[in-house]
């Protein structure tokens, strides 16, 4: 069994006995590998945000929260690679980090043979060119937008003027050339779109921002017509 298949099988084994634990020794015997290999596999799964934790004690081991994991999914190799190609385009957006963990979760939930075939197909897909994109979006910003925490930004406008602003995050505006943080700017007293590559410094406060309804006609960015993302 290759590593991808083994990691998938570990998740399924832990799911089957949840919330009871399985020890590293038991898993090593089950999959005919060393205890250290199991610990490395568990570590990789945890980094992919699979909800596995260690239960201490003689009868302890590794436990999994089955309510927060995917059951086996019937994605074909072509479908998995299609998702990977789409997620590749998230580089430089607020969702690049989440895209990586989403893809790893998807592969871990696929049937062993399909996951291996997806890896093989991906190695036969080649992308041309890699332009230097915008800097990565800080996790503190993306986390605060999701949690609606008021942000303190040091922002440089198109004229090169830097200001410190407290901003109530509303969402994002994305285009083919740039991504913007959409928020209520307390310095200007109105809705503003802040280009993410002009945010020089950002901190999240403990204050929760009020919910604000925004109409598309209120959003002013220097590109095209707006449309709202939907999950179909």
């Amino acid at each position: 069994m290759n590593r991808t298949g083994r990691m998938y099988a570990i998740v399924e084994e832990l799911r089957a006995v949840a919330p009871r634990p399985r020890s590293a020794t038991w898993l090593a015997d089950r999959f005919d590998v060393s205890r250290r290999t199991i610990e490395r596999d568990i570590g990789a799964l945890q980094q992919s945000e699979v909800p596995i934790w260690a239960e201490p004690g003689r009868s302890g081991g590794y436990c999994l929260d089955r309510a927060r994991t995917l059951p086996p999914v019937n994605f074909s190799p072509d479908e998995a690679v299609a998702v990977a190609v789409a997620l590749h385009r998230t580089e430089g957006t607020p969702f690049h980090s989440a895209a990586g963990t989403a893809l790893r979760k998807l592969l871990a939930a696929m049937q062993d043979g399909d996951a291996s075939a997806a890896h093989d197909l991906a190695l036969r897909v080649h992308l041309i060119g890699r332009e230097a994109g915008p800097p990565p979006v800080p996790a503190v910003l993306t986390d605060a937008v999701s949690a609606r925490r008021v942000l303190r930004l040091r922002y440089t406008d198109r004229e090169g003027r830097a200001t410190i602003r407290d901003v109530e995050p509303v969402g994002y505006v994305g285009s083919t050339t740039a991504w913007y943080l959409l928020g209520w700017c307390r310095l200007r007293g109105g809705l503003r779109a802040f280009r993410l590559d002009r945010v020089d410094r950002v901190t999240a406060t403990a204050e929760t921002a009020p919910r604000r309804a925004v109409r598309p006609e209120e959003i002013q960015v220097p590109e095209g017509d707006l449309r709202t993302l939907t999950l179909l």
Side-chain angles (χ1 to χ4, degrees):
M1 181 183 294
N2 62 29
R3 191 186 186 210
T4 300
R6 184 176 63 249
M7 290 171 67
Y8 165 78
I10 289 171
V11 171
E12 288 310 298
E13 178 61 40
L14 295 178
R15 187 202 307 277
V17 299
R20 291 178 290 125
R22 285 292 195 209
S23 70
T25 300
W26 191 97
L27 292 168
D29 291 342
R30 167 69 177 81
F31 296 107
D32 195 26
V33 293
S34 70
R35 179 188 174 110
R36 185 173 180 180
T37 296
I38 291 294
E39 290 171 345
R40 282 200 301 265
D41 289 349
I42 293 289
L45 289 166
Q46 290 171 327
Q47 289 179 2
S48 299
E49 297 187 2
V50 177
I52 298 174
W53 70 93
E55 189 76 28
R58 292 185 60 185
S59 60
Y62 293 108
C63 304
L64 179 138
D65 183 353
R66 64 187 304 168
R68 294 180 54 208
T69 60
L70 289 170
V73 294
N74 293 320
F75 267 57
S76 70
D78 282 0
E79 289 171 332
V81 173
V83 170
V85 170
L87 293 180
H88 176 78
R89 301 182 184 277
T90 64
E91 190 169 358
T93 78
F95 304 101
H96 182 57
S97 177
T101 57
L103 183 58
R104 288 193 291 273
K105 287 178 181 179
L106 170 62
L107 290 170
M110 289 177 66
Q111 301 289 345
D112 183 20
D114 289 339
S116 296
H119 280 286
D120 178 70
L121 178 58
L123 291 174
R124 294 183 280 126
V125 175
H126 309 283
L127 304 175
I128 297 175
R130 187 184 183 89
E131 296 181 2
V137 180
V140 64
L141 188 150
T142 57
D143 292 346
V145 174
S146 297
R148 293 193 2 259
R149 297 293 185 191
V150 175
L151 290 162
R152 182 157 296 153
L153 308 179
R154 184 181 187 276
Y155 185 72
T156 301
D157 65 18
R158 70 179 68 183
E159 306 299 330
R161 295 184 295 262
T163 53
I164 305 294
R165 306 164 182 245
D166 284 356
V167 176
E168 301 171 12
V170 174
Y172 302 103
V173 177
S175 76
T176 57
T177 59
W179 274 75
Y180 301 80
L181 168 68
L182 188 64
W184 182 269
C185 177
R186 292 180 175 177
L187 178 66
R188 303 303 186 205
L191 189 69
R192 294 291 186 273
F194 302 94
R195 245 181 94 133
L196 291 177
D197 56 359
R198 293 185 186 144
V199 175
D200 303 317
R201 188 171 64 245
V202 56
T203 57
T205 71
E207 180 184 356
T208 300
R211 292 187 181 276
R212 293 185 180 273
V214 176
R215 300 188 305 275
E217 57 267 24
E218 295 180 86
I219 302 172
Q220 297 183 1
V221 292
E223 302 186 48
D225 297 326
L226 290 172
R227 63 183 186 276
T228 302
L229 178 69
T230 58
L231 299 180
L232 301 178

